[in-house]
Amino acid sequence: MPKMTMVQALNLALRQEMEQDDRVVVLGEDVGRDGGVFRVTDGLIDRFGEDRVLDTPLAESAIAGMSIGMAVHGLRPVCEIQFSGFSYLNFHQIECHASRLRWRSRGRFTVPMVLRTPYGGGVRALEHHSESREAFYAHMPGLKMVIPSGPRNARALLVSAIRDPDPVIFFEPKAVYRAFREEVPEKEETLPIGRSELVREGRHVTLITYGAMVRPTLEAAAQLSEKDGIEAEVIDLLTLAPLDDTLFTASARKTGRVVVVHEAPRSYGPGAEIVARLVEKAFYHLEAPVRRPTGYDLIFPLFSREQAYLPNAARIARAVKETLAVEA
Amino acid sequence: MPTKTYLQAINEALRQEMERDPDVFIMGEDVGPFGGCFGVTKGLYEQFGEKRVKDTPITESAIIGAATGAAAAGLRPVCEIMFVDFIGVALDQLFNQAAKMRYMFGGKAKIPMVLRTPQGAGIGAAAQHSQSLEAWFAHVPGLKVAMPATPYDAKGLLITAIRDDNPVVFLEHKLLYGLEGDVPDEPYTVPFGKAQVHREGTDVTIVATAKMLHTSLEAADVLAKDGMSAEVIDPRTLVPFDTDTIVESVKKTHGLVVVHEAVKHAGFGAEIAAQVAELAFDYLDGPIVRVAAPFTPVPFSPPLEQAYIPGVDDVVTAVKKIRA
């Protein structure tokens, strides 16, 4: 099996879906001749031509709006917004149209589009080039909100997103784009949207995370096991909406202690929803308050402070120890 | 104390602040001679003229962009977005410009602007004119978020918002515009980050904002008949948020129900539940329950809309569930 980066795996997903379904089109800023600012769409224009790989003006609202029109009329657009921080410009199109055309037309129209966009920090870019605002999309009824964590699940989830009959927001952790390689089968592979995954078994504490934070969380789990004999269970959510709370609730019932990790600001962030579900559905099993090591309630800092802002293995391990120190 | 409606209270706050400070001005769609879609800015154009009450084109992005620029240059704009649902077209101006400028310029730029906008369901205005979107604004560092539930708070919080040197999102509930209450004639402020306990109780804490405060107070009356004493708290501002008052209440009542009109998934109730579960964990003797809208657009059909909005029965049932 070939080893690929997330960028290559996403490219594979796009290429194969475009090969097997000529309704699939790609559009966005610099996705054609330039192959995308992060090279995710590299080579697609040479293979599929300008009719199926469209370079657009710098107009996020038009990119999203055009994709909605294409989707309603039978195509399967996959549009790219260059950085998720630019996607506020297309919010209205996604919120007022993409997410609710099916509902508004009583099911007569569906919007089978994917909006791909890189999110998150770790690449020394400031502010809206680094922030994580998945909570906005997760709070919008009618959308699916997917965040892969590695090359293999990114490829499989993107294929599922393209085949989904409804709009899917696909956040790609740019810190993971070229961070490591994984074996990715050439043969088609999909993963169901709306299902989380157990990525490490443990019995003392449950760590819930997604996207770029999966790696530092696993790192923390490995350190805790090696140095302190603490066995942490790690759950990768993969989808924020619809949120699969079955797995993490079951895990919390087993371990009684939970830590939620994300790089988005803490207040009103995705972690709050997870804790709220836990205290509703697993309350009598919880033995300690749920800690949330997350990004701070600050605008994403300039690069010199970036590493202090992002949760890392040490901060996650500290939160785990605080949680375990609470007497049941 | 004179009785005024929520709408009159907001209008009075605008008028008095414009009289006090010549830097305060208003802009938005139809806010001038027409007096605003709901009539909130009525009479201000006549009193202050077209330089200080500006009708804009139908372009939300330009309204917030111009307000941000005016604020950076030293004025104190109060702009109106006709329905919160239209904010999607202007979020870049709000999230990437207004919210961040002070931080980006190391404190050298101040953005003393207020964005007023009505939200909420219940008038059969369907999916694009009925939402409650406070959770979005509250998740953006750099913005303050106020949600008045009473005429008194509407006036006092708006005056505080106008005098604040940072961007404030001021969310009015359109179904409360006609609500009457005591409102002093003279200007006064209500501090941000200070919750109000509207009803004291011992058996359960109910946290609710805007119109849901009134639903929750009614529910508390129903519960009282069943011998249950509910404490009802309105946080009044989501950012800054008065965690202490709620945590102290939960330490006393040992139970929490959070009520909001926005969809439940990833709504602000989740943040309150998470904070209380962290800070008052050992005091809780049952699950925290959230009463909120289902995860769908707001329906147009009146019966469906009524089913969508959390009601008194929903709050009562939630309390009984955790007190069972």
Side-chain angles (χ1 to χ4, degrees):
Chain A
M1 229 187 280
K3 285 198 136 195
M4 291 183 188
T5 63
M6 185 183 274
V7 165
Q8 291 167 329
L10 290 165
N11 185 273
L12 175 71
L14 289 169
R15 183 164 51 76
Q16 288 185 335
E17 284 304 286
M18 291 181 82
E19 275 167 2
Q20 66 98 21
D21 183 349
D22 58 16
R23 296 173 303 171
V24 179
V25 297
V26 166
L27 65 157
E29 294 160 10
D30 296 330
V31 297
R33 291 279 153 235
D34 193 41
V37 70
F38 289 101
R39 297 292 176 278
V40 173
T41 54
D42 205 19
L44 296 179
I45 196 166
D46 301 325
R47 183 152 185 149
F48 300 104
E50 288 179 6
D51 283 349
R52 293 183 65 197
V53 183
L54 282 78
D55 272 323
T56 66
L58 301 187
E60 287 76 9
S61 190
I63 295 170
M66 201 155 81
S67 300
I68 295 166
M70 287 172 158
V72 167
H73 286 281
L75 294 177
R76 301 233 152 201
V78 182
C79 69
E80 173 176 310
I81 300 296
Q82 204 159 68
F83 286 86
S84 66
F86 305 169
S87 81
Y88 309 132
L89 290 158
N90 61 52
F91 232 65
H92 183 74
Q93 291 290 345
I94 297 297
E95 193 231 346
C96 279
H97 301 298
S99 74
R100 56 183 73 168
L101 266 177
R102 173 191 280 275
W103 178 91
R104 192 188 290 144
S105 67
R106 305 288 187 271
R108 266 174 293 173
F109 299 117
T110 61
V111 186
M113 68 176 278
V114 180
L115 185 149
R116 290 182 38 246
T117 186
Y119 87 98
V123 297
R124 301 185 144 210
L126 74 168
E127 284 196 52
H128 42 282
H129 296 80
S130 289
E131 61 199 16
S132 301
R133 294 290 164 76
E134 55 275 16
F136 296 152
Y137 290 110
H139 189 50
M140 233 182 255
L143 293 183
K144 291 171 184 165
M145 166 84 230
V146 175
I147 308 188
S149 59
R152 188 163 180 172
N153 60 36
R155 186 277 193 105
L157 283 165
L158 183 55
V159 172
S160 299
I162 295 171
R163 295 180 188 177
D164 198 282
D166 291 302
V168 178
I169 306 296
F170 197 88
F171 266 36
E172 299 166 2
K174 67 174 90 72
V176 179
Y177 266 160
R178 289 186 171 76
F180 61 96
R181 289 168 188 268
E182 262 178 5
E183 289 189 344
V184 178
E186 180 71 21
K187 194 171 160 293
E188 174 188 306
E189 193 174 53
T190 60
L191 264 179
I193 290 172
R195 196 175 304 164
S196 57
E197 207 176 320
L198 184 69
V199 288
R200 187 184 202 279
E201 279 197 68
R203 61 183 192 282
H204 297 126
V205 61
T206 302
L207 310 185
I208 304 171
T209 189
Y210 56 88
M213 287 294 112
V214 172
R215 283 220 309 163
T217 304
L218 284 170
E219 211 182 299
Q223 284 172 15
L224 288 162
S225 168
E226 206 172 298
K227 290 187 197 150
D228 306 288
I230 297 166
E231 293 307 326
E233 185 139 299
V234 180
I235 290 171
D236 180 355
L237 292 174
L238 294 171
T239 305
L240 290 190
L243 181 64
D244 170 14
D245 59 17
T246 318
L247 184 64
F248 72 68
T249 315
S251 175
R253 288 200 185 106
K254 182 174 78 175
T255 64
R257 293 167 196 267
V258 183
V259 171
V260 184
V261 186
H262 60 65
E263 55 178 294
R266 175 183 158 123
S267 288
Y268 307 94
E273 177 63 31
I274 293 161
V275 181
R277 296 219 188 177
L278 284 169
V279 293
E280 189 162 348
K281 299 186 175 180
F283 180 79
Y284 295 107
H285 300 270
L286 288 177
E287 289 166 8
V290 179
R291 298 262 179 236
R292 285 182 286 164
T294 63
Y296 298 104
D297 287 355
L298 291 171
I299 290 149
F300 198 93
L302 303 177
F303 76 88
S304 64
R305 298 277 187 279
E306 179 174 27
Q307 290 310 323
Y309 177 89
L310 292 169
N312 56 24
R315 242 171 90 194
I316 298 164
R318 197 158 62 234
V320 168
K321 287 182 185 170
E322 283 166 14
T323 306
L324 287 167
V326 177
E327 282 179 34
Chain B
M1 213 185 285
T3 298
K4 287 165 201 155
T5 65
Y6 184 92
L7 187 146
Q8 286 164 340
I10 295 169
N11 181 275
E12 192 168 87
L14 291 169
R15 185 163 48 74
Q16 290 177 342
E17 283 304 286
M18 289 179 82
E19 281 166 354
R20 184 188 63 84
D21 182 350
D23 287 340
V24 178
F25 77 101
I26 288 175
M27 61 195 295
E29 294 159 12
D30 294 332
V31 296
F34 187 65
C37 177
F38 290 94
V40 174
T41 54
K42 228 177 187 72
L44 300 177
Y45 178 88
E46 289 73 10
Q47 184 174 347
F48 299 102
E50 63 179 351
K51 275 199 168 160
R52 292 182 67 197
V53 184
K54 296 190 92 62
D55 271 330
T56 66
I58 303 184
T59 162
E60 288 77 9
S61 193
I63 296 170
I64 296 182
T68 306
L75 296 176
R76 302 189 91 86
V78 181
C79 61
E80 173 175 310
I81 299 295
M82 199 182 267
F83 288 83
V84 76
D85 315 73
F86 305 166
I87 196 73
V89 290
L91 282 180
D92 185 66
Q93 291 297 331
L94 187 65
F95 290 174
N96 273 335
Q97 311 301 334
K100 288 174 182 164
M101 235 177 235
R102 184 167 196 157
Y103 173 90
M104 284 170 73
F105 295 127
K108 284 182 201 153
K110 288 186 295 186
I111 310 295
M113 66 176 273
V114 179
L115 187 164
R116 287 183 40 247
T117 185
Q119 56 171 18
I123 59 166
Q128 292 171 329
H129 299 77
S130 301
Q131 298 172 94
S132 296
L133 300 176
E134 62 276 7
W136 288 354
F137 306 115
H139 188 51
V140 179
L143 297 178
K144 295 182 181 181
V145 182
M147 281 181 87
T150 65
Y152 182 90
D153 285 349
K155 180 174 173 183
L157 287 170
L158 183 54
I159 291 179
T160 304
I162 292 171
R163 296 180 188 178
D164 197 293
D165 278 343
N166 297 291
V168 178
V169 178
F170 191 86
L171 299 167
E172 299 163 9
H173 198 294
K174 63 177 85 75
L175 257 82
L176 296 179
Y177 278 141
L179 178 76
E180 292 189 333
D182 291 341
V183 179
D185 285 332
E186 64 278 8
Y188 60 91
T189 57
V190 169
F192 280 9
K194 192 98 193 60
Q196 188 180 357
V197 180
H198 275 268
R199 181 188 173 114
E200 290 197 26
T202 51
D203 298 333
V204 66
T205 301
I206 303 176
V207 175
T209 48
K211 180 161 152 276
M212 288 300 119
L213 170 69
H214 305 283
T215 303
S216 301
L217 287 168
E218 268 184 65
D221 286 339
V222 175
L223 289 162
K225 284 180 196 138
D226 292 338
M228 253 180 282
S229 153
E231 182 143 301
V232 182
I233 301 176
D234 175 9
R236 301 200 281 197
T237 55
L238 296 187
V239 181
F241 188 73
D242 182 1
T243 309
D244 294 348
T245 299
I246 291 159
V247 167
E248 283 313 307
S249 172
V250 171
K251 283 181 178 173
K252 181 177 73 174
T253 64
H254 309 293
L256 176 64
V257 171
V258 186
V259 188
H260 62 67
E261 199 182 304
V263 297
K264 179 169 164 181
H265 184 72
F268 82 81
E271 176 63 30
I272 297 176
Q275 288 198 22
V276 169
E278 183 161 352
L279 301 169
F281 184 76
D282 292 327
Y283 294 89
L284 285 166
D285 60 13
I288 296 171
V289 177
R290 290 177 288 160
V291 180
F295 203 44
T296 73
V298 183
F300 167 65
S301 143
L304 283 179
E305 185 182 31
Q306 285 314 312
Y308 175 93
I309 302 168
V312 175
D313 289 349
D314 299 317
V315 180
V316 170
T317 307
V319 170
K320 289 190 173 166
K321 187 173 149 195
I322 64 167
R323 282 288 163 260

